[in-house]
Amino acid sequence: MGLEEKLPDGILLTSVEKLVNWSRKSSLWPVTFGLACCAIEMMTFGAPRYDSGRFGMEVFRPSPRQADLMIVAGRVSQKMAPVVRQIYDQMAEPRWVLAMGVCASSGGMFNNYAVVQGVDHIIPVDMYLPGCPPRPEMLIDAVLKIHAKIMNEPLGPRRKASAPDRQVELIPSSVRYAK
Amino acid sequence: MAEYDDEPTGSALGFAKGFGLTFSNMFRHVATEQYPFDVKKTAPRYHGRHVLNRHPDGLEKCVGCELCAWACPADAIYVEGGDNTEEERYSPGERYGKVYQINYLRCIFCGLCIEACPTRSLTMSNEYELALDNRQDLIFTKEQLMAPLLPGMEATPHPMRLGDTDTDYYVREKGLGEVGDIQSTANAAAKTHSGRAQAIEVGRHHA
């Protein structure tokens, strides 16, 4: 029809971008990756009381190829580090990483030779979540902040080049979703 | 299998009984908390983000003693003390916390720093939504941790408003040692026993 040629640059594709980002954030399947005590809180996050199904992510995938989000829940020992990296590599793009708890984020109170001092030494991290362990609300908050980041993500390299520095403000969820 | 004979398996009754149990769950109370839309209050003493408190006139309670940093099992707190001068005063007394940083990617929210604090400067709030996307911003500085100025408070630095010496900020007992005053005698007796802790306790009541 030639309509898309007459449309100003950005109108058609931003709508597609929004739709794609919305579908990506609405079913963000996490990979089952509990390493320590944070995993207990992560299980609570999936259980009926906090019900991650409300955000379309109740299904924890044991298969990394079917997962979009890696919640690194717990301290990563030096021996576990190559496993973390391999599972991350097996995940299909686009993929996101949430470092849950202080141990995954920076090593926490385990400042010693056995523990990786932050999982960002081996994989890129999209969200750092403090707490020891963080309560399920904190994890929901971090996940919703990742959702905000996904909604802001450019679709394809050309779009990325046209809007190189799009920052999203990470507002606390109780403020963002206040009634 | 004789003990199961009275079970209505295989019949229409068994079918109804089985699915009836499933169906009855439809009417049970839903336990799910609607977190971001309906936030439940935490316990009053929940260990959340720290706050550095102020005296009633706005001077900082922190004296830069670094006891919180010593108590911290995760080495999350960094304190650098500074000297107060008459021209530039941040806290009553000699010293104040010049640099104060808490690394929230190390902090395990155990509260040992709160127990260690001799002036009750450091306390914890109920705020917990702290997730951010870079490590630098999760090291909270003094400006972020200081309590907001309430009505009647004045931004530091400023001279002492509540008295001439720093003891006016901590021990403010009138008529101490007067004959016949039972309350003050009891206070004085307790003071000789537990010294410093008691003085702080009294200061806390007045603050």
Side-chain angles (χ1 to χ4, degrees):
Chain A
M1 267 167 66
L3 182 68
E4 67 273 15
E5 288 165 21
K6 291 196 179 71
L7 280 169
D9 194 29
I11 287 191
L12 189 71
L13 280 176
T14 41
S15 310
V16 174
E17 184 183 271
K18 263 185 195 150
L19 179 72
V20 169
N21 285 343
W22 173 78
S23 58
R24 277 177 182 168
K25 74 129 193 176
S26 301
S27 66
L28 194 69
W29 289 0
V31 64
T32 315
F33 208 71
L35 294 174
C37 30
C38 276
I40 307 297
E41 298 294 307
M42 191 170 72
M43 284 187 253
T44 316
F45 162 71
R49 178 145 173 208
Y50 293 97
D51 198 10
S52 53
R54 293 184 292 144
F55 313 106
M57 49 190 300
E58 72 274 31
V59 50
F60 277 86
R61 290 280 98 170
S63 49
R65 282 182 222 287
Q66 277 74 38
D68 310 296
L69 172 70
M70 187 184 212
I71 303 176
V72 185
R75 78 283 174 279
V76 181
S77 60
Q78 300 284 3
K79 223 170 185 181
M80 197 66 187
V83 183
V84 176
R85 179 71 217 191
Q86 188 173 12
I87 290 180
Y88 176 77
D89 286 340
Q90 284 173 345
M91 284 164 69
E93 284 187 1
R95 57 197 167 183
W96 293 271
V97 177
L98 198 164
M100 182 184 178
V102 290
C103 300
S105 301
S106 76
M109 67 181 300
F110 302 111
N111 192 355
N112 58 38
Y113 61 83
V115 174
V116 176
Q117 296 299 303
V119 80
D120 53 0
H121 286 277
I122 40 177
I123 52 175
V125 175
D126 293 285
M127 192 61 64
Y128 298 91
L129 174 58
C132 187
R135 55 192 283 142
E137 278 106 328
M138 291 167 87
L139 180 56
I140 296 173
D141 172 56
V143 163
L144 291 175
K145 279 171 179 169
I146 282 193
H147 283 185
K149 282 187 86 175
I150 292 172
M151 283 305 280
N152 195 44
E153 228 158 72
L155 183 66
R158 187 172 293 181
R159 177 86 179 133
K160 200 172 191 173
S162 70
D165 199 27
R166 285 202 291 179
Q167 287 290 319
V168 61
E169 204 187 344
L170 299 172
I171 312 161
S173 298
S174 61
V175 178
R176 184 191 285 268
Y177 296 96
K179 275 185 203 162
Chain B
M1 294 294 284
E3 63 265 40
Y4 297 118
D5 280 351
D6 53 340
E7 289 283 314
T9 45
S11 65
L13 188 65
F15 181 84
K17 200 179 172 189
F19 280 100
L21 185 71
T22 311
F23 189 73
S24 66
N25 277 307
M26 297 264 292
F27 306 102
R28 279 175 60 182
H29 171 67
V30 179
T32 308
E33 288 182 13
Q34 305 294 327
Y35 158 67
F37 315 106
D38 178 21
V39 182
K40 287 251 171 76
K41 265 195 169 178
T42 57
R45 296 199 176 186
Y46 177 73
H47 287 188
R49 197 189 86 111
H50 298 79
V51 177
L52 281 170
N53 296 307
R54 293 175 189 273
H55 285 291
D57 65 344
L59 282 179
E60 294 156 14
K61 283 189 178 175
C62 179
V63 293
C65 67
E66 299 184 27
L67 281 176
C68 47
W70 276 83
C72 184
D75 281 346
I77 307 181
Y78 176 75
V79 187
E80 232 175 68
D83 287 321
N84 282 315
T85 56
E86 285 308 316
E87 297 82 49
E88 202 176 359
R89 174 171 291 286
Y90 292 90
S91 71
E94 288 174 30
R95 304 269 286 167
Y96 73 103
K98 195 176 176 185
V99 179
Y100 201 100
Q101 295 175 353
I102 297 181
N103 183 355
Y104 280 100
L105 287 183
R106 290 270 180 200
C107 175
I108 57 168
F109 299 91
C110 60
L112 287 179
C113 46
I114 311 304
E115 287 181 35
C117 186
T119 60
R120 198 127 175 99
S121 165
L122 192 67
T123 50
M124 278 168 146
S125 69
N126 289 354
E127 191 192 327
Y128 53 77
E129 291 163 319
L130 295 167
L132 284 177
D133 59 355
N134 71 81
R135 284 173 81 152
Q136 186 68 49
D137 289 351
L138 274 158
I139 300 173
F140 279 42
T141 52
K142 193 180 165 186
E143 294 76 49
Q144 291 165 287
L145 293 166
M146 280 308 297
L149 289 162
L150 294 173
M153 289 181 177
E154 196 183 330
T156 49
H158 66 77
M160 288 189 275
R161 307 285 190 216
L162 299 185
D164 298 328
T165 58
D166 56 315
T167 31
D168 293 318
Y169 280 80
Y170 297 112
V171 191
R172 289 203 284 156
E173 289 167 288
K174 297 283 182 281
L176 190 70
E178 278 175 24
V179 182
D181 188 349
I182 298 166
Q183 184 60 45
S184 62
T185 322
N187 276 343
K191 230 174 139 181
T192 48
H193 282 301
S194 62
R196 190 176 162 78
Q198 176 68 20
I200 291 159
E201 191 60 44
V202 172
R204 197 180 297 163
H205 283 301
H206 284 277

